[in-house]
Amino acid sequence: MENSIRILAIVPSESIQTVAHDLVAKRNLPIILETRVANLFGGEKVAEQLGPSFDVILARGETAMMIQRTVKQTPVIKIPITIADVLSAIKLAENYQERFAVVGFSFVTSQAHLLRDVLQIDLDIYTLYRIEDVEPLMLDLREKGYQLVVSGMGIDHIARRNGLNSIQITTGQDSIGLALEQAITLSNCLKHQKERQHFFKKSLQESPLGIMVFDATHSLVYSHLSNLDEKLAMNLAVRELQTSEATASEIQKTRGSDIITMYRRAIEGEQGIIYTAFYFQVRPQPYIPLKNEIRIFSKDSAIEVFLQHFPEHSPTNTDNREIMNHMLRSTTPVLILGERGTGKEQIAALLYVRGPLQTNPYYIVDFSLINDKAWNFLLTNTNSPLYESGKTIYFSNLDALAPPRVDRLKTQLLDSGLCEYNRILFSCVTSQDSPLPEAVRQLGDELGCQSLRLIPLRERGPELHTLFGLYISTANVLYAKQVIGLSKGSERLLMEYQWPGNLTQFRKVLFRLVELSSSSYISESLAKQILISETNEFALSASLSSIIDTGKTLHEIEKDIVKAVLEKMGGNQSKVAKQLGISRTTMWRMLQ
């Protein structure tokens, strides 16, 4: 649409991205909104790539200021951070029981100084003036004993990377709406396009990572490459220009561990000039999983999968913190113990990403999924992690492995010396009152494992106030909410709840409460509704577990489950079929 207002929004979270699109959809205006999620360091690069083909750029905080200094030809509208945004984050942080500080650039800390003066509160504030100062400041704060920072969304990941918890200052819908109105007003005053802008818009929209453009004489007129060597890209493009006259093609080349895909397209400019554009996509050669039971991760993927919602990572008791700090400096095998949902996978991932082998791959072998074929592969195939060196290998759910196989694994590790050349981690599901399976105990003793027992959430009452704030903050970012905390009634209910699913259930409940909350404080009625649902779900799960006899055939077990659910549902066959995800005919056949 020629007369459309073209807006590029570079925002720090998917939730802000969603709100912006929703606000545009409500306006009966010809607006084309493109959004990109990028942090403080990536936003400038996105603006350089895409900005010239838009009428205006929306960005938040220091990201907007950086873009203004870099992208001269496109105006930048700053999404404001209001005093209410800063106050909401500080109120969340007040639930934290240890030292915290407000950290940010001047547009954040000026609001914090005003709040400190007006409200007469004791508040530690640190102002940043350069991006290069962020990492040293986080290290300095950790050395000074701070455990939490209230910060903008662009630098919170640096805090977490340096061992600090973070509560992010989120942006409300009113601020996003105000920035959009300013962008629309400004765009209406700048209604002109250039041929280059028109062309770059078409080009960059199709380019995943990089682009090179040639005119009819095969002269390079534009180049922007992110993850590809310019000389290599030029050689590939020129060779294609000289050997083919195709207007569209797709070519793949392998270079080392990367696959380079080059897309060729002919693009006509507004003045009828024909350009040839090459789009380059660089990606690593795909890793084919050894087995479903054996997975591999890089440091970044391990953080994304296991530590994204596990704030540093949910403090345990003082003894466990000291043990963890020692384990992070050691290469000794570790045995992580605890009930289901206590965070064993997250602790293992943390030992990897902050351990001495963090630049090498991270393997997870899940014994709760392993079958005979995968077991034989693990022990005998040279592609197995047991034949690697310099890696971190996490053997999950030792309790699911039959005792003879635990003994066989122990022998393999001892005979091969695997523990000397890799970081080996184990986990075992066990309650505090139950002894370890004998085979697991012997493995831990003979391999010299350090043990870390994770405390059930029901025994971590004093820490729940801290966890409430951390998880509400994370959920606020996910759902674009500004929930400040819990009402007294809802807090009492959550403090009294026994949390049979531990941290896994805790995160699920807190995220659900934030998602459904319609006010700044989570109500008692909403908390009661969610906890009743959780109690019923765990009761049903427990009743099913009690009737499953692993000595029976699969058909017999299925029949027992249908009978149990039928009894639970008062004989209502329609509800039973819906609960189990089967038809009534299938259910009837299973019962016969």
Side-chain angles (χ1 to χ4, degrees):
M1 295 184 293
E2 283 189 4
N3 296 321
S4 296
I5 300 171
R6 300 182 307 280
I7 301 174
L8 171 64
I10 301 173
V11 296
S13 71
E14 292 181 356
S15 56
I16 295 179
Q17 183 182 43
T18 301
V19 170
H21 279 286
D22 289 344
L23 290 173
V24 167
K26 293 176 182 177
R27 288 164 167 77
N28 188 24
L29 293 172
I31 300 174
I32 297 174
L33 175 65
E34 284 283 337
T35 56
R36 295 291 186 275
V37 176
N39 60 23
L40 183 65
F41 302 95
E44 188 177 14
K45 182 179 292 185
V46 173
E48 285 181 318
Q49 292 176 330
L50 304 180
S53 57
F54 287 84
D55 298 319
V56 66
I57 299 173
L58 291 183
R60 183 178 184 264
E62 183 66 10
T63 303
M65 297 173 66
M66 292 174 61
I67 292 172
Q68 282 177 326
R69 293 192 292 265
T70 304
V71 182
K72 303 297 185 182
Q73 64 270 48
T74 308
V76 179
I77 298 293
K78 184 186 294 184
I79 300 173
I81 295 177
T82 67
I83 196 166
D85 299 332
V86 179
L87 178 60
S88 294
I90 291 174
K91 293 296 290 181
L92 267 179
E94 288 177 351
N95 294 318
Y96 201 82
Q97 297 176 350
E98 300 188 49
R99 295 181 68 187
F100 73 92
V102 178
V103 177
F105 293 91
S106 58
F107 56 88
V108 169
T109 56
S110 61
Q111 307 273 37
H113 280 290
L114 180 60
L115 286 169
R116 183 174 65 181
D117 294 339
V118 172
L119 300 180
Q120 293 293 294
I121 56 176
D122 185 18
L123 198 61
D124 296 336
I125 304 171
Y126 292 84
T127 301
L128 296 163
Y129 299 98
R130 302 182 308 155
I131 295 176
E132 294 79 9
D133 296 334
V134 178
E135 191 95 19
L137 177 59
M138 295 304 176
L139 292 171
D140 183 54
L141 290 176
R142 194 174 71 180
E143 289 296 321
K144 289 179 178 178
Y146 289 93
Q147 300 209 8
L148 173 74
V149 296
V150 174
S151 66
M153 299 173 74
I155 61 175
D156 70 291
H157 70 287
I158 301 178
R160 289 186 279 112
R161 189 171 69 207
N162 286 281
L164 294 168
N165 291 309
S166 173
I167 287 181
Q168 302 176 48
I169 300 172
T170 57
T171 300
Q173 290 192 22
D174 291 343
S175 297
I176 301 170
L178 177 62
L180 275 172
E181 289 297 335
Q182 292 176 348
I184 293 168
T185 301
L186 181 59
S187 296
N188 285 328
C189 298
L190 300 173
K191 278 296 178 184
H192 66 88
Q193 292 188 20
K194 296 180 181 179
E195 165 69 16
R196 186 180 178 188
Q197 290 174 315
H198 172 80
F199 164 71
F200 284 166
K201 178 181 178 181
K202 283 188 174 181
S203 304
L204 294 175
Q205 281 179 336
E206 295 188 32
S207 175
L209 289 176
I211 182 172
M212 298 186 87
V213 182
F214 298 83
D215 61 17
T217 66
H218 295 179
S219 297
L220 181 67
V221 295
Y222 179 75
S223 173
H224 185 90
L225 301 168
S226 298
N227 296 331
L228 184 61
D229 177 76
E230 186 169 0
K231 183 178 180 180
L232 173 60
M234 177 66 80
N235 290 337
L236 292 172
V238 170
R239 187 180 299 117
E240 176 66 9
L241 283 170
Q242 293 173 345
T243 59
S244 173
E245 296 182 357
T247 57
S249 62
E250 178 177 333
I251 302 166
Q252 281 196 346
K253 301 288 184 181
T254 301
R255 289 292 184 274
S257 60
D258 291 330
I259 294 177
I260 303 171
T261 304
M262 183 170 68
Y263 303 89
R264 176 175 178 167
R265 297 290 185 270
I267 298 177
E268 181 178 354
E270 284 185 340
Q271 305 302 320
I273 300 174
I274 303 297
Y275 297 88
T276 301
F278 292 97
Y279 303 94
F280 298 92
Q281 181 181 42
V282 183
R283 65 186 190 278
Q285 294 196 51
Y287 170 76
I288 301 173
L290 302 175
K291 296 290 176 183
N292 291 333
E293 304 83 354
I294 302 172
R295 294 176 290 163
I296 185 172
F297 297 87
S298 65
K299 179 180 178 180
D300 288 343
S301 61
I303 292 174
E304 181 69 22
V305 173
F306 298 105
L307 300 179
Q308 187 178 16
H309 301 297
F310 196 69
E312 181 62 24
H313 284 289
S314 297
T316 55
N317 62 11
T318 302
D319 291 341
N320 270 0
R321 286 185 188 175
E322 294 176 358
I323 293 172
M324 276 291 296
N325 289 332
H326 174 71
M327 288 177 174
L328 288 169
R329 299 188 296 269
S330 169
T331 57
T332 305
V334 175
L335 177 57
I336 308 168
L337 308 172
E339 296 178 4
R340 295 192 186 280
T342 47
K344 293 182 287 297
E345 294 77 12
Q346 288 77 12
I347 291 295
L350 181 63
L351 289 171
Y352 161 62
V353 302
R354 292 184 58 192
L357 300 177
Q358 59 182 262
T359 57
N360 296 337
Y362 174 52
Y363 286 96
I364 297 180
V365 181
D366 190 345
F367 289 132
S368 69
L369 301 174
I370 209 158
N371 55 27
D372 292 342
K373 187 176 181 180
W375 174 253
N376 291 330
F377 169 87
L378 181 69
L379 295 181
T380 61
N381 195 297
T382 55
N383 290 323
S384 162
L386 300 190
Y387 292 84
E388 296 277 357
S389 62
K391 307 297 188 292
T392 301
I393 308 174
Y394 171 41
F395 296 102
S396 173
N397 295 307
L398 268 178
D399 51 287
L401 202 60
R405 288 190 170 180
V406 176
D407 292 337
R408 178 70 180 85
L409 176 66
K410 176 188 66 179
T411 301
Q412 180 89 359
L413 296 179
L414 288 171
D415 290 348
S416 65
L418 192 74
C419 299
E420 299 176 22
Y421 306 106
N422 298 275
R423 185 71 193 276
I424 305 300
L425 311 173
F426 303 95
S427 73
C428 180
V429 176
T430 179
S431 66
Q432 287 186 307
D433 301 328
S434 302
L436 277 178
E438 182 60 22
V440 173
R441 186 193 64 77
Q442 290 182 5
L443 177 143
D445 290 345
E446 295 189 35
L447 293 179
C449 292
Q450 300 180 75
S451 293
L452 178 66
R453 184 175 287 276
L454 303 184
I455 303 170
L457 196 57
R458 61 181 174 276
E459 297 181 15
R460 294 170 57 182
E463 300 173 26
L464 289 185
H465 290 286
T466 296
L467 295 178
F468 288 147
L470 292 173
Y471 279 82
I472 288 173
S473 172
T474 306
N476 276 340
V477 175
L478 181 64
Y479 298 115
K481 293 294 191 74
Q482 288 187 306
V483 175
I484 295 175
L486 302 163
S487 68
K488 290 184 178 180
S490 63
E491 182 176 344
R492 175 183 54 79
L493 288 174
L494 295 176
M495 291 290 291
E496 293 174 352
Y497 191 65
Q498 291 299 296
W499 301 107
N502 292 295
L503 278 173
T504 302
Q505 183 190 23
F506 183 87
R507 175 185 178 277
K508 172 187 171 184
V509 168
L510 265 294
F511 275 43
R512 187 66 173 154
L513 289 172
V514 170
E515 181 185 13
L516 297 179
S517 180
S518 58
S519 62
S520 297
Y521 288 88
I522 294 169
S523 68
E524 180 178 359
S525 60
L526 179 60
K528 185 175 182 180
Q529 172 190 338
I530 297 299
L531 290 180
I532 288 174
S533 175
E534 285 294 305
T535 300
N536 291 338
E537 184 177 326
F538 269 86
L540 177 59
S541 176
S543 66
L544 290 178
S545 299
S546 66
I547 57 92
I548 293 178
D549 183 353
T550 55
K552 293 183 177 182
T553 66
L554 177 60
H555 176 73
E556 291 171 333
I557 292 173
E558 289 175 340
K559 185 175 180 179
D560 288 342
I561 291 174
V562 172
K563 286 182 176 179
V565 179
L566 195 62
E567 182 179 349
K568 184 75 176 180
M569 297 294 185
N572 189 317
Q573 295 186 8
S574 297
K575 286 186 176 180
V576 172
K578 184 177 180 181
Q579 172 75 24
L580 296 177
I582 59 177
S583 67
R584 291 185 62 180
T585 302
T586 300
M587 181 183 68
W588 181 83
R589 288 174 180 168
M590 293 171 74
L591 288 172
Q592 298 309 305

